[in-house]
Amino acid sequence: DAGITQSPRYKITETGRQVTLMCHQTWSHSYMFWYRQDLGHGLRLIYYSAAADITDKGEVPDGYVVSRSKTENFPLTLESATRSQTSVYFCASSAYLEAFFGQGTRLTVV
Amino acid sequence: GQQLNQSPQSMFIQEGEDVSMNCTSSSIFNTWLWYKQDPGEGPVLLIALYKAGELTSNGRLTAQFGITRKDSFLNISASIPSDVGIYFCAGQNFGNEKLTFGTGTRLTIIP
């Protein structure tokens, strides 16, 4: 299917575990982003990528790692999950100023 | 970093009423955008504004790019039940496609 897909949709993990959220887009957009959404904070940028092998920090990068070996994939890894990383995570891709968002991954860290 | 303040945080209105919300920034943006998020979904672009002073409509939605480039406004006329959701403003600058989002306005329609 065309578009941008995130997996899993829901994830529960324990404190200290590593977890990876996946993001895949079929448009070959050069830019991809990871945001987290929390009540009272709106959407905050974690990391973004302008192209394969080019990534940069956003507003709240601590505790997260990204990679982008292929244009279509942009996984987000929480190296050692903490309760404060409980959130809804959105991946997006962008071309010509319009960003398209995935459906989100709801992550709970217990 | 840049911060966008959106107001109001929430609105409770009756069907048919008009809605106004705004977004202010501590610094300028070259592009302002408005997104809507339905429950359980990612945000979807409603309107994009590219020039200071620009007024743009999309059906019942009208948005304006403030002349100082530090604010933007969104109006919804004659609200209907499917307008329920969270509305986000976002700012963007030339040379980089990353978006800075506001905190959102949650719109609820009272029966």
Side-chain angles (χ1 to χ4, degrees), chain B residues 76-89:
Chain B
I76 306 172
S77 62
S79 58
I80 60 177
S82 61
D83 291 334
V84 164
I86 304 176
Y87 292 80
F88 290 100
C89 62

Side-chain angles (χ1 to χ4, degrees), chain A residues 30-98:
Chain A
S30 55
Y31 274 86
M32 295 188 75
F33 309 86
W34 275 105
Y35 289 88
R36 60 177 288 175
Q37 183 175 21
D38 306 288
L39 271 175
H41 291 281
L43 290 150
R44 291 182 292 175
L45 183 64
I46 305 171
Y47 269 96
Y48 67 102
S49 168
D53 298 321
I54 301 174
T55 61
D56 208 347
K57 294 178 181 179
E59 186 185 349
V60 288
D62 293 344
Y64 302 96
V65 174
V66 294
S67 61
R68 194 166 175 209
S69 56
K70 291 184 179 180
T71 300
E72 59 267 30
N73 297 323
F74 191 39
L76 176 74
T77 298
L78 287 67
E79 294 184 295
S80 178
T82 65
R83 290 203 177 97
S84 65
Q85 291 177 311
T86 292
S87 186
V88 180
Y89 291 84
F90 285 99
C91 177
S93 69
S94 174
Y96 307 110
L97 304 180
E98 181 169 355

